[in-house]
Amino acid sequence: MCDDFKGNWSDHLSLIEFPYNNIYQSRIGMAPYEALYGIPCRTPLCWAEVSERSVIGPHMVQETTEKIGIIQDRLRTAQSRQKSYADVRKRPLEFQIGENVFLRVSPRPGIKRFGKKSKLAPRYIGTFEILQRIGEVAYPLALPTKFADIHNVFHVSMLCKYNADPSHIIEWRDLQLNDNVSYEEKPLRVVDSKEQVLRSKTIKTVKVLWQHHGSEEATWELESEIRDKYL
């Protein structure tokens, strides 16, 4: 817009602010100015009743009106473009009572929410059970006692559905600890093997599944070391 007006952007900032504060906002059902002051904005450029509009400085009013018209068109274009982006990603989200969901916390720098504070804090915490449905977009959650001072009703946009997976369940196994609170890790079996051929020698490695770890934690070890230590 400033390129069209051939001037410094700071000179037209008030013109941009004026139509933005007086354009109809569908979320609040009125213009921001009217929502703030309770009455429509009444100026020579934005008069509620056409019959009461007074013309002061016709050339200035006409020039400013033309610029505001351009700004309003650009604002509508930008709003329409953003709406088209949002409509593509927007999908109806609904949960049932008893389902488990994650709660989005998205902490910001310097703000501590739900006991999480650092840039490496998780975006979601949980899972929590849905206790009830309030209207179409609000759900109370069964929060633990450490969150007793937090209101437990959240908007649907802050929830993420949890898809149950048996691999998420951690199986507890008793460990035989030594006197120095350590334990001996033993291999269960070899699940894979490979050879790495170098210029002058060949290195044989095996993939070992350990006693107190799952298959996703199997490690590659030298075959010679496994034979010397465990065979």
Side-chain angles (χ1 to χ4, degrees), residues 141-191:
L141 303 182
L143 299 180
T145 54
K146 63 180 180 180
F147 296 149
D149 57 339
I150 298 175
H151 189 52
N152 69 332
V153 179
F154 300 94
H155 191 268
V156 67
S157 61
M158 298 182 63
L159 306 179
C160 178
K161 186 176 181 179
Y162 166 68
N163 296 318
D165 190 336
S167 63
H168 296 168
I169 301 176
I170 300 177
E171 297 182 2
W172 176 260
R173 300 175 182 175
D174 293 334
L175 298 178
Q176 298 296 329
L177 299 180
N178 301 324
D179 295 337
N180 58 353
V181 198
S182 64
Y183 68 94
E184 182 181 359
E185 186 66 88
K186 297 181 180 180
L188 289 179
R189 62 180 181 272
V190 174
V191 296

Side-chain angles (χ1 to χ4, degrees), residues 11-197:
D11 297 335
H12 301 94
L13 189 60
S14 58
L15 290 178
I16 299 174
E17 183 180 5
F18 177 82
Y20 182 83
N21 289 333
N22 290 282
I23 195 171
Y24 179 83
Q25 301 286 342
S26 59
R27 290 178 298 178
I28 59 177
M30 62 185 69
Y33 182 96
E34 185 177 356
L36 181 62
Y37 295 102
I39 58 174
C41 180
R42 299 167 67 89
T43 72
L45 303 178
C46 184
W47 208 259
E49 291 79 15
V50 178
S51 60
E52 298 180 4
R53 178 171 177 170
S54 61
V55 179
I56 303 175
H59 298 291
M60 181 191 69
V61 172
Q62 182 178 0
E63 180 182 358
T64 307
T65 303
E66 292 175 357
K67 289 184 177 181
I68 289 179
I70 296 175
I71 294 173
Q72 288 176 335
D73 292 338
R74 301 292 177 84
L75 287 174
R76 294 189 187 99
T77 302
Q79 289 176 344
S80 177
R81 181 170 59 250
Q82 294 297 329
K83 183 178 183 299
S84 65
Y85 295 156
D87 290 344
V88 171
R89 300 180 181 182
K90 186 176 181 180
R91 63 185 187 276
L93 190 59
E94 183 177 351
F95 300 102
Q96 303 297 328
I97 298 176
E99 287 186 339
N100 290 330
V101 294
F102 291 103
L103 177 62
R104 179 165 59 88
V105 291
S106 298
R108 298 181 180 179
I111 299 178
K112 187 175 182 180
R113 299 174 61 185
F114 298 95
K116 309 293 182 180
K117 183 181 179 182
S118 74
K119 67 178 182 179
L120 298 180
R123 295 179 58 190
Y124 292 90
I125 60 174
T127 60
F128 306 113
E129 182 182 355
I130 292 181
L131 300 178
Q132 186 183 355
R133 180 175 180 178
I134 302 177
E136 297 182 356
V137 295
Y139 294 88
L141 303 182
L143 299 180
T145 54
K146 63 180 180 180
F147 296 149
D149 57 339
I150 298 175
H151 189 52
N152 69 332
V153 179
F154 300 94
H155 191 268
V156 67
S157 61
M158 298 182 63
L159 306 179
C160 178
K161 186 176 181 179
Y162 166 68
N163 296 318
D165 190 336
S167 63
H168 296 168
I169 301 176
I170 300 177
E171 297 182 2
W172 176 260
R173 300 175 182 175
D174 293 334
L175 298 178
Q176 298 296 329
L177 299 180
N178 301 324
D179 295 337
N180 58 353
V181 198
S182 64
Y183 68 94
E184 182 181 359
E185 186 66 88
K186 297 181 180 180
L188 289 179
R189 62 180 181 272
V190 174
V191 296
D192 197 1
S193 64
K194 64 180 179 180
E195 294 183 353
Q196 184 178 2
V197 180

